Amino acid sequence: MADAAKGERTFRGIPVSAGVCRGKLLVLGRNRPSINKRTLAESDLPEEVNRLERALIQTRQQLLEIQRKVSEGMGSQEGSIFDAHLLVLEDRTLLDEVVRVIQESRVNAEYAFHTVAERYAATLAAIDDDYLRERATDMRDVTARVLSNLLGIEAEIDLRHLKEPCIIISHDLTPSSTAQLDKRHVLGFATDVGSKTSHTAIMARSLRIPAVVGLKTLSEELETGQYALLDGFNGIIISNPTDQTLYEYGQIIRKQVTLQEKLRDILLKPAVTLDGHRVLLSANIEQAADVESVKAYGAEGVGLFRTEYLFIDRDHLPNEEQQYQAYRSVAAALKPMPVVVRTLDLGGDKFLAHMQVPTEMNPFLGWRAIRFCLQERDIFREQLRAILRASAEGNIKLMYPMISGLDELTQANALVEEYKAELRLENIPFDEKLEIGTMIETPSAVIVAESLARRCNFFSIGTNDLIQYSLAVDRMNEKIAHLYEPTHPAIVRLIKSTVDAAHHQKISVSVCGEMASDPVLTALLLGLGVDEFSTSPPLIPAVKFLIRRLKLGEARDLAQYALGCESASEILARCQDLARQIAPSLFEDK
Ligand code: PEP
Ligand code: MG
């Protein structure tokens, strides 16, 4: 403690929720209850099983109550996070095994529950897949509640009723704890584990609490009562900050507040350049509940609805009716704004936990996206029929992922026609003018873009994949992350070819990969002729801010320079110079 309290120390992690805060630390999780093993008499076993059942019912009631409060206070999307927790309590395989351990090993319920649940959680946590790792966190969250109920103990600290403002430090903060944070008193939080896509990170962003995750051993190195500064923009915690550091951060906070105010001011204003060029800014969404943030951040529609999350986030495939309801609800909520529904993009890093998919040597080059759908016809048929039915709302567009050549596009289009014919026979309405788009994510698609453009109504460039396939750089591998260069001359030229082919065939081009959400690259994309940008909703205001300070002429000059340049870093430097020059407040503290 004495050492820890001396001198300034900096810890670096992953920034997941923007903002800077400073205050006293509250370090959680040091006093976890110990789970002792007790051997029971045969005659005590039925009561032990009953005790377990009562704790499960109590836990379920608590979770439903948290879910209700979260849904009321934060929205249904946040509330639905607890569906995964409730499912753990209904998992018969897990619960039957706990009962078996109680009965066969004649042990107490908390010991049996802890042992079995921890084994499940450890197996999930060890798999190299963000989604499954999150399920491990959910399982541990539920386990901790069940154990507290079995042991009859209250949560260590009631996060709803903190007495003074503090920054929470914890090994892991579960979604249910995060949801209960008292916003008036929790200045920010930091955890040892976690990723950008974890539910806890999603919660932090929704609550607008600055947060940093992935700080490894932070919770062991800091003490309750120490003073620290948390920088959610850059993923930094500084304990015992010096006056100089506090002064510097004071400046940052003042600038950020002004910037956020400016961004709020333009929410409802159009994305138009200083010389009058109008750009469409749309949102990327993953689930039906995301429509709230589409509206909140001033998006002009949905440019990419990643439908695979409807399939991944459950233990069985959604049927046509369930999908129809999801697509229809998004379309109805956003009407007349357009909603681009992308067909299933499973494979690569996105798999269904409940489907037996053979392991592949190169999953990103394997059985994924449109390739999977063209073979799994029943699954594709249900999805296409659901999208077609939902298109009766009048504002839906359909889009295929990972098209690598003309055959795939014509086969998929033929299926759409077949299912349209079915619906006509069944007298089920759909949009006869439904537009169909192709994602441009492979170099081969760029090369045959003219042919593709003749057979669809729009293009959307998936730069996340286009970069990985063109530069042969795995988008998930941090060892070669330095080679993943959006401003590589090859990428610049591929985007230009795609735009040229599209415009030659009089169709529009959007970019829906992460390049579209980086304000540094906005001018380059605009100058290359991109018509629409589709990004995660909270990132829209910054891109719009930049567009409103840019002239199309400047953007075209930048693109011209980039097309003639041979170096990725020189192109990037030019992009940075222009962005910083026209919108310095966006970049000052990064
Ligand atoms: C892309 O590849 O750029 C894209 C938007 O698709 P996803 O990230 O879902 O693969
Ligand atoms: Mg992709």
Side-chain angles (χ1 to χ4, degrees), residues 284 304 306 308 342 345 350 368 439 441 461-466 475 512-514:
N284 292 350
L304 168 64
R306 289 184 163 101
E308 47 280 4
R342 178 176 76 179
D345 186 11
K350 290 178 280 197
R368 67 169 293 206
M439 281 196 79
E441 313 191 79
I461 309 180
T463 48
N464 304 341
D465 278 318
L466 184 62
R475 71 192 250 196
C512 62
E514 294 308 302

Side-chain angles (χ1 to χ4, degrees), residues 429-495:
F430 63 89
D431 179 4
E432 290 280 357
K433 297 205 189 82
L434 174 77
E435 291 194 5
I436 296 185
T438 301
M439 281 196 79
I440 302 292
E441 313 191 79
T442 62
S444 58
V446 179
I447 294 167
V448 299
E450 283 272 355
S451 310
L452 298 173
R454 265 182 244 122
R455 288 157 181 95
C456 67
N457 306 101
F458 63 94
F459 279 167
S460 187
I461 309 180
T463 48
N464 304 341
D465 278 318
L466 184 62
I467 296 171
Q468 89 163 339
Y469 293 132
S470 310
L471 305 183
V473 178
D474 179 349
R475 71 192 250 196
M476 313 284 284
N477 186 338
E478 72 281 359
K479 288 202 190 70
I480 47 169
H482 61 286
L483 298 174
Y484 190 92
E485 292 177 303
T487 54
H488 192 294
I491 301 302
V492 174
R493 292 173 210 181
L494 288 168
I495 294 173

Side-chain angles (χ1 to χ4, degrees), residues 12 26 33 37 55 92 106 156 166 203 205 223 326 394 415 477 503 518 536 547-548 577:
R12 285 176 196 279
L26 173 63
K37 180 177 178 180
R92 266 338 303 179
R106 300 212 334 247
E156 174 191 37
C166 62
M203 284 278 190
R205 288 194 285 272
E223 301 286 345
L415 290 174
N477 186 338
H503 288 175
D518 184 351
S536 150
I547 289 173
R548 291 176 59 83
D577 286 349

Side-chain angles (χ1 to χ4, degrees), residues 33-44:
S34 51
I35 309 295
N36 296 323
K37 180 177 178 180
R38 281 183 291 118
T39 309
L40 305 177
E42 191 75 38
S43 56
D44 292 337

